[in-house]
Amino acid sequence: MQTSTGSYTDPSITVYNFMKTIVERARKNAKDYPLSEIHRSFHRVIIHQLSGSPTTSKDCTIIVDTLCLVSSQASFIFHEANQDVEFLGMLVHRLIELESVGSSDNQAELKGYVPSSKRKLCNAANRLWMKLLELKRETLQEFFSISLPSASSSKTLTESSGIPSVTDSTLFKLHNCEAHRTAILSKMFEEFTFEEASDVGLTQSQKLRSLGRMMSKRVVDVDPKEKAREIWFFIHEYVSVHCPRLIKAVHSLERLLQKKYKRNCDYSLRFTASKWSHIVYELTRERGLWGPAEPSFLDKWMLDSVEGPSRMRKRMCRNPHFYQHYPFVSRKVLREEYIGQHKPPRSHDSVFQHCRSQIFKETSYLSLPVAQVHGQDDLVASLPIDYGIEPSGLTEGNKTVPGSYAEGTKSEEDTEDVSSPTVEGISPPEPINQEKTDDPVNQAVTRMLVSDEKIRFQCKCAKLEGLDAKEGVLLLGKCHFYVIEGITLMEDGGFIDIESISSLDFVPVVPKELRKHMQPSSIHPPIKCNQWNYDAIKEIHKRRYVLRECALEIFSDDGRNHFLIFEKEKMPKVYQKLEALTPKLQGGQLEDLVAGVKAGANVEEGSSRFLLFATEKSLVQKWENGEITNFQYLMHLNTLAGRSYNDLMQYPIFPWVLKDYESESIDLSDPEVFRDLSKPMGAQSETRLNKFIKKYEEPMPIPFPTDGKEYHKYHYNTHYCSAMTVAGYMIRMEPYTRHYLNLQGGHFDWADRAFHSISNSWKSASEQDTSDVRELIPEFYYLPDFLTNENRFLLGVKQSMHLLGDVILPPWAKGDPREFIRINREALESDYVSLHLHEWIDLIFGCKQSGQAAIDAHNVFNPYFYEENVKDIDKMDDSSRGYILNIIHNFGQMPKQLFKKPHHRRRLPTLLTPSIESQLSASSWWKVFYRDIHLLEISKEPVLKVRSEIGQIVAEKHPMAIEKNKLLLPSSYSKFFGWGYNDRSARLCTAEQERTLAIFEGLHQGQILCATAPSETIILTGGDSTVVCVWELKKEGRDKGKLTMQLTQVLYGHTDGVVCLTVSKTYRLIVSGSADATCIIWDLNKMTFIRQLSNHAGPITALTINDLTGDIVTCTRNNVHLWSINGEELVFATITQGPYSSITCCAMSELFAYDKDNVIVVGCSDGVVRVFSMTYVNETHSKQQKEEKKMEKNRSSDSLVEPRRSKGEDQSGMEEENITSEKDLSIHSENPMVSKEETNVSKNSSALEKEQTLKKWEALGPKQ
């Protein structure tokens, strides 16, 4: 209740009532309570309220209120049980001082006091004095050894003209009484020493000077002889009584200083170790200076949070702590400690990692493997501070720049931004020098901020990731805002790390009822900073957390987003401030917005940014007209309804669209293969629906009714999308595996209940299990990686003796997860689904979500899933609130209702449905070139003319081309960056007149060979120096007219010149190709190494990234390689051309991600443009046939590659993929073909026999 500055945050009456209650209880049970100590504490509160010097109107008001309060409660305070005479002496002394100040004629000492304040102070002091005479006259006379007037005589004199006061001649003797002065000085010194001992920030000299000032205030205007006597008494009292107390106080102070010194040393060590670990990692990582040249099969990956187009999360990032979460457990330990229990979660690779760690156990720190440096080492694993900043975009780089932080930012409410709505009369805090910030946590925060940053606002928050909420602080600066994890705010506005604060003092933002479901934090929770520029914020959405409006989801243009939870009353204020500081929230193109709608538009009450009716086309109209795909529309609706990737309790919802998972092939033009989208999952089977109807007719009691109804009718007690549903689907992929284990109690569930088969999951959700009404999640339509057990988890063995591994796919998927995802997505975009998707939208987001329409549609769920039934959850008692929060956490919650009326049907035909052939015939002008490749002809006249060899072609509103060694800068393409000049300089020029704007010299140690640009101000260059340099174009000078290039990052990894560069803004990736025959994928946000693409036959000659799917094409002289976004080699082809010819450029079709006929186009130096297409054909061969076919191929073609073993052992079959050239657009006609075999071994648990399936790309040949 008391802050470090010494002032109470609550009014005095609140403090008094609290202490009064304690005193009353102690007086009733004096034997059970230390009555004297309680009285002493009570008295200290009163003296504290009177101790302030009345120099301001505020302090004077507090003193007068306290005097009046004590007077009105005098009979209670001065009860006969109260025998604290020291308190009476100090109270009398204080009354003398206050009355003397109030009666003084020296207005200079009053500092702005008005006469009315003087009279109030005098009257209050006199009134209390008379109460003292009435109740404690004899005690005072005995204590001061003087005679005092009676209370009755005082009242009589008060009524007459002469009003006695505490400054009467009789009472004035009290002021000079030696005993009283000694008691006062002793009490003052005792309190001073113990109070100052707790303040470790003051030096000894400061304490002595403060003590001297306090003593001098009490001996002013005293006779010199009297002053000498008082000093003598003071010294005598000090030597005899207070010296031991002072020694004790000094010891306490030294212990505090020692504790703080150790803490500072600990943080310094951790900071140094953190920096050192990053250096070691960069030196020893894959392709590092001392690291391995090739990746290890023990490297583990997890899903990255960066979102691509249509909010698809496809990228994988390294998982350095994998083996910490899934360590090796010996068989002996399993036999002795886990008999009859669930086994701990493990991976097949844990034993290999254990062996490797034992080999390197005795070696030096630098020779440790990457995984151990980044996760296994005890010191590095316990580092609490991550001083690396994760910036938004490239404008700030990822440097750690020492800055200044305003430590004096008093509190959450007092730190306001002048440019934003402010509290009247409160000015923003000024930054302080870093040298004055001696607290290690403040120093850590200071290092994370941009130089000269001024913090305008701060408040507590929690960052939600899946199910884990990491407590932290939100800081709003002048140009940036920060989310710092691992620290929290104290009452005085200072920072403290969560590990240093006790659980009793720490009040988390997340309800305590949910914290037990979260992963236990490490011994030292890391202090991590996420930083954005306000210009990088794309959208901000209000969010619910456990059906409470207390969160915000912030989307940035770098593909990341953060789900921040606040105290419920603080969230609107934070939203208002961020909205005022973010320029992009008021504009932007509709296609660029995450929710697909502009700011300020509303669907229904409570939903924002949904343009339903406007002059331009709304989101609904765009979907109805076929201008956006079904997937895009569903993702927009999920975003608007509050569904988020960051919250597993309200994850995005997608429908099951197919019901045929048994056929060898599937015909998407047949309506019988689709589910009934007008019915919820519980109504797909008539038999099971009858059970749900019978359940609805029997009202069920609920333990804690929230709407006055003790009985509720509902069909389903489980939700179609819950945290367990999401974690169960994603069980094979981190970090969802850890969330699943946390929900499951730390172990994998029984194998028969785990997600292992698409067909079985559909049957369970549609007809078999009455507790299963699951829908799907977005990953079923774009992410094949979650269907494979790449982490090699030991998921258990089913009762049928099948070992769980990869998910069993439908036969029509040909055993390939990519093909399953493609067909499933094609089905989602089919004509049938387009015509009926609005019916499913009504069930989930529309008019059939609740009310009578939901009853008629058999779509009523547990009442706790609905927001309107738990609006008063914060007012409930702990047991009720805990029960309801657990229901929401474990079983899910309804999305926001977006539509009150039935949704409109989509109009067909459309241009974006997968039945493209029918659309081509209906609209002859809409031609996809690779479907009518025979119509392609070389134009009679050149489309564009340039002076020399073409280096870049840009296809925007109209095609643009520029010469070699020149790069058009997006997004206006009105300027170009040129290199390769004789003086080795680089230049920035205008595109039309080629007027030189700036010349840059000495950028590389050697020649620049290639360049690319993700934006107009960021340029990446590569050259024969083997490094990739990241430059930022800046305007400097007085008038900001001088252009300069500032180096922000250098990317190391190649061993030969970097000859190709490409960048994907949608997936935030950089790919560099080198003459060392490798490509490296870099993170565009963090500018760090991700992985390498090897197995090339020679130097890289061309690169491209598909911005729609993330697939990567790399080319060497005669080879074309196709890779997934996560580095899996899908297929490659070898073309036949002249000895002096090579591939010079490449491109991919990006119209339909799910189109099986997508093509790769390459241009060669022999003047030939080659178009490659891919098609699946499934054939089953015996082992002997496979060997004969392989030997025949090796004899007949010298361009074939040897079969390679895949990483996994749980996939079924063997893959052979061929790419063929559809047409060579030149006078030559070739049909080169190359095959790649990929062997995967599958264990049949019944017969343990190996089945091999041959899957190849069918050669179509050139079309005539």
Side-chain angles (χ1 to χ4, degrees):
M1 188 172 292
Q2 187 177 6
T3 65
S4 60
T5 59
S7 62
Y8 285 91
T9 57
D10 289 338
S12 58
I13 185 63
T14 306
V15 181
Y16 174 84
N17 290 335
F18 173 74
M19 294 300 301
K20 180 181 177 181
T21 303
I22 297 177
V23 173
E24 287 176 345
R25 292 182 180 179
R27 288 179 181 176
K28 292 180 181 179
N29 302 294
K31 296 181 179 180
D32 301 332
Y33 293 89
L35 185 59
S36 60
E37 295 297 325
I38 293 176
H39 274 141
R40 184 180 295 273
S41 299
F42 188 29
H43 299 156
R44 286 172 64 88
V45 171
I46 297 174
I47 293 299
H48 173 79
Q49 294 296 101
L50 298 173
S51 61
S53 179
T55 58
T56 63
S57 177
K58 181 180 179 181
D59 292 338
C60 182
T61 303
I62 293 175
I63 294 173
V64 171
D65 293 342
T66 304
L67 291 172
C68 295
L69 180 64
V70 175
S71 298
S72 63
Q73 301 288 329
S75 59
F76 175 83
I77 297 174
F78 306 117
H79 191 267
E80 60 182 2
N82 188 354
Q83 300 297 327
D84 190 355
V85 294
E86 289 184 2
F87 162 66
L88 296 177
M90 294 192 67
L91 183 59
V92 171
H93 172 71
R94 188 56 181 158
L95 291 177
I96 294 173
E97 289 183 334
L98 294 176
E99 205 284 338
S100 62
V101 171
S103 62
S104 175
D105 294 330
N106 187 358
Q107 295 298 325
E109 294 181 358
L110 298 179
K111 297 184 179 180
Y113 273 52
V114 295
S116 60
S117 300
K118 291 173 46 181
R119 287 195 299 270
K120 289 181 180 179
L121 194 61
C122 291
N123 294 338
N126 284 318
R127 190 161 48 249
L128 181 56
W129 166 245
M130 286 185 287
K131 288 289 184 181
L132 279 173
L133 291 179
E134 180 183 357
L135 300 173
K136 291 291 183 180
R137 178 172 173 269
E138 295 179 0
T139 305
L140 291 175
Q141 287 184 145
E142 182 181 357
F143 180 74
F144 293 110
S145 301
I146 59 174
S147 61
L148 296 173
S150 63
S152 60
S153 62
S154 297
K155 289 181 179 180
T156 304
L157 290 174
T158 301
E159 294 171 357
S160 63
S161 59
I163 302 176
S165 66
V166 287
T167 54
D168 264 347
S169 58
T170 305
L171 300 180
F172 184 76
K173 298 176 183 178
L174 294 174
H175 194 61
N176 296 324
C177 179
E178 293 178 0
H180 172 65
R181 290 290 288 161
T182 303
I184 294 297
L185 292 173
S186 301
K187 190 70 176 177
M188 176 271 299
F189 184 80
E190 178 184 353
E191 293 180 355
F192 173 78
T193 53
F194 280 97
E195 286 180 5
E196 296 300 306
S198 63
D199 186 1
V200 297
L202 296 178
T203 63
Q204 291 290 344
S205 60
Q206 289 174 320
K207 293 176 183 179
L208 294 175
R209 286 196 298 270
S210 179
L211 177 60
R213 287 193 300 269
M214 295 180 66
M215 293 177 59
S216 64
K217 290 181 180 179
R218 291 166 171 80
V219 295
V220 175
D221 299 331
V222 180
D223 184 73
K225 293 182 180 181
E226 190 69 25
K227 182 177 181 180
R229 282 185 75 183
E230 292 175 356
I231 294 175
W232 184 87
F233 273 103
F234 172 74
I235 294 174
H236 174 73
E237 186 77 14
Y238 169 75
V239 173
S240 61
V241 178
H242 296 290
C243 189
R245 296 181 180 179
L246 178 61
I247 293 174
K248 183 178 179 181
V250 170
H251 286 175
S252 177
L253 173 64
E254 290 299 325
R255 283 193 295 270
L256 290 174
L257 292 173
Q258 184 183 27
K259 183 179 179 180
K260 181 178 180 181
Y261 174 75
K262 289 182 178 180
R263 189 159 168 258
N264 288 349
C265 292
D266 185 36
Y267 270 78
S268 298
L269 175 63
R270 295 175 188 178
F271 170 70
T272 306
S274 176
K275 287 293 186 183
W276 177 246
S277 68
H278 288 301
I279 295 174
V280 171
Y281 173 72
E282 283 299 320
L283 291 173
T284 58
R285 64 163 170 81
E286 181 184 339
R287 299 304 297 268
L289 182 62
W290 299 327
E294 296 294 333
S296 170
F297 74 96
L298 294 179
D299 295 340
K300 297 301 179 182
W301 302 84
M302 61 189 299
L303 189 64
D304 202 340
S305 61
V306 175
E307 297 179 359
S310 301
R311 299 200 60 194
M312 292 187 291
R313 292 187 173 188
K314 285 188 172 184
R315 278 180 40 175
M316 304 289 285
C317 62
R318 291 185 181 271
N319 187 4
H321 304 294
F322 179 85
Y323 296 105
Q324 280 184 293
H325 298 134
Y326 310 100
F328 166 73
V329 182
S330 66
R331 293 184 178 179
K332 180 180 179 182
V333 173
L334 292 175
R335 287 195 303 266
E336 295 177 356
E337 300 183 9
Y338 294 94
I339 298 178
Q341 301 179 19
H342 288 281
K343 301 298 186 291
R346 294 164 295 152
S347 168
H348 279 292
D349 295 331
S350 298
V351 60
F352 300 108
Q353 169 63 19
H354 175 72
C355 295
R356 186 171 74 170
S357 63
Q358 293 299 314
I359 294 174
F360 291 100
K361 187 174 182 180
E362 303 299 330
T363 58
S364 65
Y365 190 76
L366 281 180
S367 62
L368 290 173
V370 174
Q372 188 170 352
V373 169
H374 220 60
Q376 295 292 94
D377 186 79
D378 294 336
L379 175 63
V380 180
S382 64
L383 295 176
I385 304 177
D386 184 359
Y387 287 99
I389 298 176
E390 295 188 5
S392 175
L394 303 173
T395 56
E396 302 299 331
N398 62 347
K399 300 180 293 182
T400 303
V401 184
S404 57
Y405 172 69
E407 187 184 13
T409 52
K410 299 179 182 178
S411 69
E412 308 172 25
E413 301 295 338
D414 295 341
T415 53
E416 302 288 339
D417 188 352
V418 176
S419 61
S420 62
T422 60
V423 176
E424 184 177 357
I426 298 179
S427 59
E430 293 294 331
I432 65 172
N433 195 321
Q434 183 184 354
E435 297 176 356
K436 298 180 182 179
T437 308
D438 57 350
D439 184 79
V441 178
N442 286 334
Q443 289 180 358
V445 174
T446 299
R447 291 188 179 99
M448 295 175 180
L449 305 185
V450 175
S451 180
D452 299 326
E453 183 68 277
K454 294 183 179 181
I455 301 303
R456 306 296 190 183
F457 178 82
Q458 61 185 21
C459 69
K460 293 194 298 185
C461 69
K463 178 185 172 186
L464 184 64
E465 295 179 351
L467 292 175
D468 301 330
K470 300 178 181 179
E471 296 284 337
V473 175
L474 172 70
L475 305 178
L476 300 184
K478 185 178 180 180
C479 298
H480 304 80
F481 79 96
Y482 310 83
V483 177
I484 304 180
E485 305 169 19
I487 65 173
T488 188
L489 283 176
M490 297 184 292
E491 292 183 355
D492 63 345
F495 295 132
I496 184 171
D497 52 329
I498 295 177
E499 67 168 297
S500 300
I501 191 169
S502 65
S503 59
L504 298 178
D505 298 332
F506 176 53
V507 181
V509 176
V510 178
K512 61 182 180 181
E513 292 85 358
L514 296 180
R515 300 197 66 82
K516 63 181 180 180
H517 299 288
M518 300 177 183
Q519 297 178 21
S521 59
S522 59
I523 299 177
H524 299 292
I527 299 178
K528 184 180 179 182
C529 178
N530 299 277
Q531 167 196 325
W532 289 272
N533 190 302
Y534 291 119
D535 293 333
I537 300 179
K538 198 171 184 179
E539 282 193 62
I540 303 176
H541 287 265
K542 294 180 180 179
R543 289 287 182 253
R544 300 178 302 175
Y545 181 65
V546 288
L547 297 179
R548 298 166 65 246
E549 291 282 354
C550 62
L552 296 176
E553 191 166 24
I554 303 174
F555 296 85
S556 61
D557 57 7
D558 62 358
R560 296 182 300 163
N561 55 77
H562 286 259
F563 194 104
L564 303 180
I565 309 169
F566 301 92
E567 297 172 350
K568 190 173 182 180
E569 62 275 7
K570 298 288 178 60
M571 188 274 287
K573 185 175 183 180
V574 177
Y575 179 79
Q576 180 185 9
K577 287 184 171 295
L578 283 173
E579 192 174 39
L581 292 168
T582 307
K584 286 187 179 180
L585 294 185
Q586 305 303 327
Q589 295 296 323
L590 194 61
E591 299 81 7
D592 299 332
L593 298 178
V594 176
V597 291
K598 286 189 175 181
N602 295 298
V603 173
E604 300 288 351
E605 198 175 299
S607 178
S608 63
R609 287 177 176 66
F610 190 21
L611 191 60
L612 192 60
F613 300 105
T615 54
E616 60 180 308
K617 291 182 180 179
S618 67
L619 180 63
V620 178
Q621 291 171 337
K622 283 179 174 290
W623 177 74
E624 290 176 2
N625 297 333
E627 298 177 30
I628 59 175
T629 64
N630 292 337
F631 182 91
Q632 290 173 323
Y633 186 55
L634 289 177
M635 188 57 73
H636 288 324
L637 294 183
N638 274 282
T639 303
L640 291 166
R643 313 301 290 190
S644 171
Y645 283 117
N646 296 305
D647 188 359
L648 261 63
M649 292 182 286
Q650 42 184 351
Y651 209 74
I653 311 162
F654 271 65
W656 290 90
V657 294
L658 295 172
K659 67 178 182 181
D660 182 5
Y661 297 99
E662 306 293 340
S663 303
E664 291 293 330
S665 60
I666 190 166
D667 182 9
L668 296 182
S669 63
D670 182 7
E672 296 299 322
V673 302
F674 295 94
R675 69 166 273 195
D676 189 348
L677 290 169
S678 65
K679 299 178 181 179
M681 289 301 297
Q684 295 295 315
S685 169
E686 290 295 334
T687 303
R688 193 172 66 154
L689 176 60
N690 292 331
K691 297 180 181 179
F692 289 130
I693 295 175
K694 182 179 180 181
K695 178 182 178 181
Y696 180 82
E697 294 173 351
E698 300 175 357
M700 300 291 293
I702 59 174
F704 302 102
T706 59
D707 54 358
K709 298 180 181 179
E710 297 183 358
Y711 291 86
H712 275 268
K713 293 183 177 181
Y714 53 89
H715 298 100
Y716 317 110
N717 200 32
T718 58
H719 201 256
Y720 43 74
C721 185
S722 64
M724 180 56 78
T725 299
V726 177
Y729 280 142
M730 305 289 288
I731 186 175
R732 294 163 178 80
M733 177 176 286
E734 285 278 62
Y736 297 92
T737 310
R738 277 178 286 152
H739 295 312
Y740 177 88
L741 293 172
N742 193 34
L743 290 169
Q744 199 61 36
H747 56 80
F748 290 116
D749 197 5
W750 301 112
D752 289 273
R753 295 195 297 185
F755 171 57
H756 66 282
S757 168
I758 301 294
S759 177
N760 289 353
S761 295
W762 161 254
K763 292 177 181 178
S764 173
S766 63
E767 59 184 51
Q768 293 179 349
D769 193 347
T770 56
S771 62
D772 184 4
V773 290
R774 293 174 294 174
E775 293 282 3
L776 297 184
I777 55 178
E779 284 79 0
F780 277 84
Y781 296 97
Y782 67 80
L783 186 65
D785 305 73
F786 86 99
L787 298 170
T788 59
N789 189 17
E790 290 295 328
N791 289 316
R792 292 164 54 84
F793 287 120
L794 295 171
L795 300 175
V797 181
K798 298 180 62 178
Q799 293 182 359
S800 60
M801 300 306 296
H802 282 79
L803 180 68
L804 290 192
D806 296 347
V807 176
I808 300 175
L809 303 176
W812 45 258
K814 306 178 182 68
D816 183 14
R818 286 177 62 91
E819 181 69 358
F820 169 78
I821 294 296
R822 189 195 66 77
I823 294 177
N824 210 34
R825 175 66 189 279
E826 187 177 2
L828 178 65
E829 306 296 342
S830 65
D831 289 344
Y832 178 87
V833 174
S834 297
L835 288 173
H836 296 276
L837 186 59
H838 66 284
E839 298 173 339
W840 184 84
I841 294 174
D842 287 338
L843 294 170
I844 307 299
F845 306 108
C847 61
K848 295 181 181 180
Q849 186 190 96
S850 60
Q852 185 60 42
I855 298 174
D856 297 338
H858 312 297
N859 194 39
V860 182
F861 292 81
N862 189 299
Y864 291 138
F865 298 165
Y866 298 85
E867 181 181 10
E868 58 268 19
N869 293 331
V870 292
K871 287 185 177 180
D872 299 329
I873 191 171
D874 294 323
K875 300 179 182 179
M876 299 179 184
D877 57 82
D878 292 343
S879 60
S880 302
R881 183 172 59 253
Y883 176 83
I884 294 176
L885 288 178
N886 284 328
I887 290 290
I888 297 172
H889 181 274
N890 293 323
F891 297 100
Q893 53 190 292
M894 302 299 293
K896 284 187 177 181
Q897 188 174 3
L898 300 179
F899 306 98
K900 299 294 185 181
K901 298 180 180 180
H903 197 287
H904 294 289
R905 185 178 183 177
R906 194 173 193 181
R907 290 188 286 270
L908 290 179
T910 64
L911 301 181
L912 296 182
T913 57
S915 52
I916 301 173
E917 290 82 357
S918 62
Q919 299 308 314
L920 290 177
S921 59
S923 305
S924 58
W925 58 271
W926 179 260
K927 300 295 182 182
V928 181
F929 76 93
Y930 53 83
R931 292 184 175 276
D932 294 281
I933 200 168
H934 61 280
L935 299 178
L936 288 178
E937 300 290 343
I938 299 177
S939 60
K940 298 180 180 179
E941 297 292 334
V943 178
L944 294 172
K945 292 183 179 180
V946 294
R947 290 193 295 261
S948 61
E949 182 180 352
I950 293 179
Q952 181 189 15
I953 299 176
V954 177
E956 289 296 314
K957 295 180 180 180
H958 54 84
M960 302 173 64
I962 199 169
E963 296 88 347
K964 190 177 180 180
N965 293 345
K966 292 180 180 179
L967 174 70
L968 290 168
L969 300 180
S971 56
S972 63
Y973 299 102
S974 60
K975 302 174 185 177
F976 71 82
F977 175 78
W979 66 92
Y981 300 98
N982 293 332
D983 57 357
R984 293 195 172 184
S985 65
R987 302 176 186 182
L988 185 67
C989 308
T990 59
E992 293 185 0
Q993 295 85 11
E994 297 192 9
R995 179 171 59 89
T996 301
L997 301 176
I999 298 177
F1000 313 106
E1001 297 180 341
L1003 297 183
H1004 273 251
Q1005 295 181 357
Q1007 279 284 7
I1008 298 177
L1009 302 178
C1010 57
T1012 189
S1015 66
E1016 195 170 2
T1017 58
I1018 302 297
I1019 299 177
L1020 292 83
T1021 59
D1024 50 19
S1025 61
T1026 74
V1027 299
V1028 177
C1029 296
V1030 184
W1031 306 90
E1032 182 178 0
L1033 279 174
K1034 288 187 174 182
K1035 292 184 178 180
E1036 296 182 352
R1038 294 182 179 179
D1039 55 352
K1040 299 292 183 180
K1042 182 181 178 182
L1043 284 169
T1044 61
M1045 288 186 69
Q1046 179 180 346
L1047 182 65
T1048 61
Q1049 191 74 19
V1050 180
L1051 307 179
Y1052 301 91
H1054 290 292
T1055 57
D1056 206 339
V1058 180
V1059 296
C1060 297
L1061 278 173
T1062 188
V1063 63
S1064 172
K1065 288 185 64 178
T1066 57
Y1067 286 101
R1068 310 301 296 178
L1069 292 176
I1070 304 169
V1071 181
S1072 59
S1074 172
D1076 61 8
T1078 63
C1079 295
I1080 293 180
I1081 304 177
W1082 310 89
D1083 189 329
L1084 181 59
N1085 292 334
K1086 302 177 182 178
M1087 290 297 168
T1088 54
F1089 175 89
I1090 298 181
R1091 66 174 79 237
Q1092 65 170 320
L1093 308 177
S1094 54
N1095 297 332
H1096 294 94
I1100 307 300
T1101 59
L1103 287 172
T1104 190
I1105 303 178
N1106 190 320
D1107 283 329
L1108 193 61
T1109 64
D1111 293 341
I1112 302 170
V1113 173
T1114 61
C1115 301
T1116 59
R1117 178 177 174 270
N1118 294 323
N1119 295 332
V1120 180
H1121 298 255
L1122 178 63
W1123 312 78
S1124 72
I1125 189 174
N1126 294 314
E1128 178 188 1
E1129 187 176 8
L1130 304 176
V1131 67
F1132 80 92
T1134 298
I1135 63 176
T1136 304
Q1137 52 185 350
Y1140 302 105
S1141 299
S1142 65
I1143 299 173
T1144 58
C1145 59
C1146 58
M1148 303 177 69
S1149 57
E1150 299 179 355
L1151 185 58
F1152 307 106
Y1154 48 85
D1155 189 357
K1156 67 180 185 302
D1157 294 324
N1158 275 320
V1159 297
I1160 301 172
V1161 182
V1162 298
C1164 306
S1165 59
D1166 59 0
V1168 179
V1169 176
R1170 294 174 169 86
V1171 181
F1172 295 88
S1173 179
M1174 298 166 287
T1175 304
Y1176 279 95
V1177 174
N1178 188 32
E1179 298 177 6
T1180 303
H1181 298 270
S1182 64
K1183 183 176 180 179
Q1184 182 178 3
Q1185 289 174 326
K1186 181 192 69 173
E1187 296 295 336
E1188 293 177 355
K1189 186 176 183 65
K1190 188 186 302 182
M1191 294 176 59
E1192 181 181 354
K1193 289 183 178 179
N1194 289 332
R1195 290 192 302 267
S1196 61
S1197 175
D1198 57 356
S1199 62
L1200 297 179
V1201 297
E1202 292 295 326
R1204 65 178 180 87
R1205 181 79 60 181
S1206 68
K1207 296 180 182 178
E1209 295 182 356
D1210 299 316
Q1211 294 180 353
S1212 175
M1214 181 186 71
E1215 296 184 356
E1216 180 182 295
E1217 303 172 348
N1218 300 333
I1219 293 184
T1220 68
S1221 173
E1222 283 195 344
K1223 183 171 184 178
D1224 300 332
L1225 303 182
S1226 67
I1227 58 175
H1228 304 287
S1229 178
E1230 302 177 3
N1231 186 22
M1233 179 175 65
V1234 69
S1235 63
K1236 177 180 78 77
E1237 294 183 358
E1238 182 174 355
T1239 304
N1240 297 319
V1241 179
S1242 172
K1243 295 181 179 179
N1244 188 325
S1245 58
S1246 58
L1248 296 179
E1249 295 179 353
K1250 300 178 181 178
E1251 293 183 2
Q1252 292 135 2
T1253 303
L1254 183 65
K1255 182 178 61 179
K1256 70 177 183 178
W1257 297 101
E1258 182 184 28
L1260 301 181
K1263 299 179 179 179
Q1264 301 298 328

